Amino acid sequence: MSQELLSPSDVVQLEPRLSGFEGDLFFPKAINLSDPGEVMHLLSSAVRRAGTEFVRAPAAMTTVQLDTERGYHIECDMPGLPIERPVCLTAHGFYLCPMQDRLRVAGLVDPGAAVSSVGQRNARRLIA
């Protein structure tokens, strides 16, 4: 995927409400879904109209050992979004993603733990 290195003034030109960045990478061809649930609804409706039938597959008889990776995000209702495109705060390890009338803060993970005390700490980090 193509990328461009941005200067601090380039960042502010793309996202006027962001300042204090030393510069960053920009992915001009990247896309972001502001409402993934609506996209899936439209997609499933289209394939049904095309004659596709969804059926439940029979249960598999093979046991597969899986590990976990618990991801964390928070969403804030925000009709006036502060950004126009996803922004990664690399120093903190998470993304700010504009959604339909809300802002998603995502990217922290807790690998290898189905149940973990890390969850509350990660949630507090995202909120801060």
Side-chain angles (χ1 to χ4, degrees):
M1 178 173 288
S2 65
Q3 52 188 298
E4 300 171 10
L5 184 58
L6 301 180
S7 68
S9 62
D10 294 334
V11 172
V12 172
Q13 187 174 8
L14 284 174
E15 294 292 344
R17 293 184 179 142
L18 296 180
S19 63
F21 282 79
E22 294 179 13
D24 222 325
L25 287 178
F26 175 54
F27 298 88
K29 295 183 180 179
I31 61 169
N32 179 51
L33 300 176
S34 63
D35 194 339
E38 179 64 15
V39 171
M40 293 310 299
H41 171 73
L42 293 170
L43 181 60
S44 65
S45 295
V47 296
R48 281 190 172 97
R49 281 193 308 275
T52 302
E53 181 181 345
F54 291 90
V55 295
R56 184 176 294 274
M61 299 304 288
T62 304
T63 300
V64 177
Q65 194 69 16
L66 299 176
D67 202 349
T68 61
E69 183 177 277
R70 185 179 297 255
Y72 299 91
H73 77 268
I74 60 169
E75 290 185 9
C76 306
D77 291 334
M78 194 173 287
L81 294 170
I83 56 175
E84 298 292 321
R85 61 195 49 80
V87 173
C88 178
L89 303 173
T90 54
H92 301 286
F94 57 83
Y95 283 85
L96 302 174
C97 302
M99 307 292 284
Q100 184 68 40
D101 294 325
R102 61 194 191 279
L103 183 69
R104 177 180 285 172
V105 182
L108 298 178
V109 296
D110 182 10
V115 178
S116 171
S117 62
V118 176
Q120 290 296 322
R121 189 170 65 235
N122 276 339
R124 285 191 299 272
R125 285 179 62 200
L126 291 173
I127 291 168

